Amino acid sequence: MRQLRVNERIRVSQVRLIGADGAQLGVMTPLEALRLAREAGLDLVEVAPQTAPPVCRILDFNKFRYDEQRREREAKRKHRAAKLKEVKFK
């Protein structure tokens, strides 16, 4: 699983915030975004750090992490290696 920055670990000047319901709340400072997340009783998670400004989302981090691990397990279980079958002719 990739490393995500959560809550106080987000150290940038501005972030683009997406709310818990999926609505874009705009560009703001991480302190304002963290305050909104705390009011909702959720976490602020940086989901796209490579963009400018980075995209952060208000969500329950433990549930998000569990769902991502479950998706990885499911993908690993469904992944099949190509098998080489041999046929001998006489």
Side-chain angles (χ1 to χ4, degrees):
M1 189 173 130
R2 62 185 181 169
Q3 292 294 324
L4 298 171
R5 289 187 282 205
V6 182
N7 295 332
E8 290 84 14
R9 293 180 186 254
I10 300 171
R11 299 275 184 212
V12 290
S13 59
Q14 289 189 331
V15 296
R16 181 174 308 277
L17 185 63
I18 299 175
D21 57 350
Q24 285 200 20
L25 302 177
V27 178
M28 59 183 67
T29 65
L31 291 176
E32 292 176 45
L34 185 58
R35 182 182 56 79
L36 290 173
R38 294 290 161 107
E39 286 175 1
L42 299 170
D43 298 308
L44 182 66
V45 180
E46 188 177 48
V47 292
Q50 67 278 7
T51 60
V55 178
C56 292
R57 201 169 182 159
I58 295 175
L59 49 83
D60 183 5
F61 183 64
N62 289 328
K63 182 179 180 203
F64 174 76
R65 190 173 58 192
Y66 171 77
D67 288 340
E68 193 168 281
Q69 287 174 347
R70 192 182 70 213
R71 270 186 258 119
E72 287 176 4
R73 277 195 311 266
E74 201 60 35
K76 198 180 287 186
R77 190 172 63 99
K78 289 184 179 180
H79 179 72
R80 299 224 173 181
K83 293 183 181 179
L84 181 63
K85 294 185 179 182
E86 292 184 25
V87 179
K88 293 183 181 180
F89 294 101
K90 286 189 178 184

